[in-house]
């Protein structure tokens, strides 16, 4: 079958091998409870809520793949969406690559989603997928910044840091996930870029390829600190009250 005739299939890769030390001691961040359900399950369901996502690959801690698979087996997921669990690597970048290696050949588009963003709405997921299918090699959801941002000269001694610039806020965006990619483009980026990166889209940027932005959503925030858990619980409570979620 030619590439033109090949049906478009989308998979989501969720790296969930990190410890999440800023949330404090306890289980890995992705396995922390949120409204009685592990955060990872919320993130998987958020990806599977899109009818365009046919496969979710969860990249688990290297010593916890069996535990994560058992966890997914015991929670209800949409029957139309398959899932795989693979052991992760030492870094997020390595874990995403291992997730890519596990994808079937017929996957044409890939989402990479943070397990720590459990509440991203399906409309945001669909917007990212649509932009990739329309021809963008890399897509990120993002929000305008509400705060003024200062560029500083970092200091390691805890003292006051001098301001060296004030970027124009109108040109800045706070990037979220899922980030979406043409599968071949993301594979090439992971094969080419070897330095540490903060997200997969920056790897595509280093190839000199275009990255585009679609509107993000305020509920797609990253659960990093204890206060974020409180906010996430409040969002879920509002959803239950309004939507019966």
């Amino acid at each position: 079958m030619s590439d033109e005739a090949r049906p478009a299939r989308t998979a989501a890769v969720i790296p969930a091998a990190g410890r999440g030390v800023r949330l404090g001691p306890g289980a890995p961040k992705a396995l922390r409870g949120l409204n009685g359900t592990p955060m990872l399950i919320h993130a998987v369901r958020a990806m599977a809520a899109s009818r365009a996502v046919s496969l979710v690959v969860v990249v688990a801690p290297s010593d916890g793949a069996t535990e994560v698979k058992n966890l997914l087996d015991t929670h209800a997921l949409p029957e139309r969406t398959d899932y795989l669990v693979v052991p992760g690597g030492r870094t997020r970048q390595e874990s995403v690559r291992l997730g890519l290696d596990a994808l079937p050949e017929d996957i044409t588009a890939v989402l990479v989603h943070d397990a720590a963003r459990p509440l991203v709405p399906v409309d945001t997921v669909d917007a990212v997928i649509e932009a990739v299918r329309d021809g963008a090699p890399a897509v990120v959801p993002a929000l305008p910044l509400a705060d003024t941002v200062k560029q500083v000269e970092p200091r390691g001694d805890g003292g006051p840091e001098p301001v060296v610039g004030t970027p124009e806020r109108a040109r800045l965006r706070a990037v979220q996930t899922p980030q979406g990619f043409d599968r071949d483009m993301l594979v090439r980026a992971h094969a080419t870029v070897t330095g540490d990166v903060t997200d997969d889209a920056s790897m595509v940027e280093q190839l000199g390829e275009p990255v585009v932005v679609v509107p993000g959503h305020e509920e797609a925030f990253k659960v990093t600190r204890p206060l974020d858990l409180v906010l996430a619980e409040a969002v879920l409570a509002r959803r239950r009250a309004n939507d019966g979620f």
Side-chain angles (χ1 to χ4, degrees):
M1 181 180 292
S2 68
D3 287 344
E4 291 183 357
R6 186 172 57 175
R9 292 189 68 219
T10 299
V13 175
I14 303 180
R19 298 297 304 181
V21 295
R22 281 177 289 182
L23 271 180
K29 177 165 59 175
L31 303 184
R32 299 289 181 95
L34 184 58
N35 191 34
T37 300
M39 200 177 339
L40 174 62
I41 298 299
H42 288 285
V44 171
R45 287 174 174 168
M47 297 299 98
S50 171
R51 302 191 70 85
V53 174
S54 56
L55 173 67
V56 178
V57 178
V58 177
V59 187
S62 58
D63 58 351
T66 299
E67 178 187 0
V68 170
K69 186 178 186 306
N70 291 338
L71 191 69
L72 290 169
D73 286 340
T74 59
H75 287 81
L77 301 172
E79 292 184 1
R80 67 175 183 274
T81 305
D82 295 326
Y83 69 87
L84 294 173
V85 178
V86 298
R90 294 172 297 175
T91 66
R92 182 186 185 279
Q93 188 172 344
E94 184 178 353
S95 291
V96 172
R97 182 182 57 78
L98 291 169
L100 289 174
D101 290 344
L103 296 179
E105 291 185 0
D106 63 346
I107 295 297
T108 57
V110 182
L111 304 178
V112 180
H113 184 57
D114 295 332
R117 297 184 190 269
L119 303 179
V120 57
V122 67
D123 288 350
T124 302
V125 181
D126 286 340
V128 171
I129 295 171
E130 182 178 2
V132 174
R133 290 186 174 179
D134 284 345
V139 182
V140 296
L143 293 175
L145 296 183
D147 298 322
T148 296
V149 175
K150 297 292 185 183
Q151 183 180 353
V152 302
E153 186 65 39
R155 290 182 54 172
D157 59 4
E161 298 175 329
V163 171
V164 297
T166 304
E168 183 182 350
R169 189 172 64 185
R171 297 174 61 88
L172 301 176
R173 297 292 183 269
V175 173
Q176 302 174 325
T177 69
Q179 298 183 356
F181 304 90
D182 171 80
R183 187 229 182 113
D184 293 339
M185 177 64 68
L186 186 57
V187 169
R188 180 159 71 92
H190 274 267
T192 305
V193 179
T194 57
D196 289 337
V197 295
T198 56
D199 70 347
D200 294 270
S202 64
M203 300 174 71
V204 175
E205 291 175 49
Q206 290 187 43
L207 297 181
E209 299 290 348
V211 178
V212 302
V213 170
V214 297
H217 197 281
E218 61 184 4
E219 293 182 1
F221 62 89
K222 192 172 186 178
V223 177
T224 303
R225 298 174 175 83
L227 184 59
D228 299 326
L229 283 172
V230 177
L231 179 58
E233 292 280 4
V235 171
L236 285 175
R238 184 190 56 76
R239 288 183 180 182
R240 288 195 305 271
N242 293 344
D243 309 321
F245 175 77

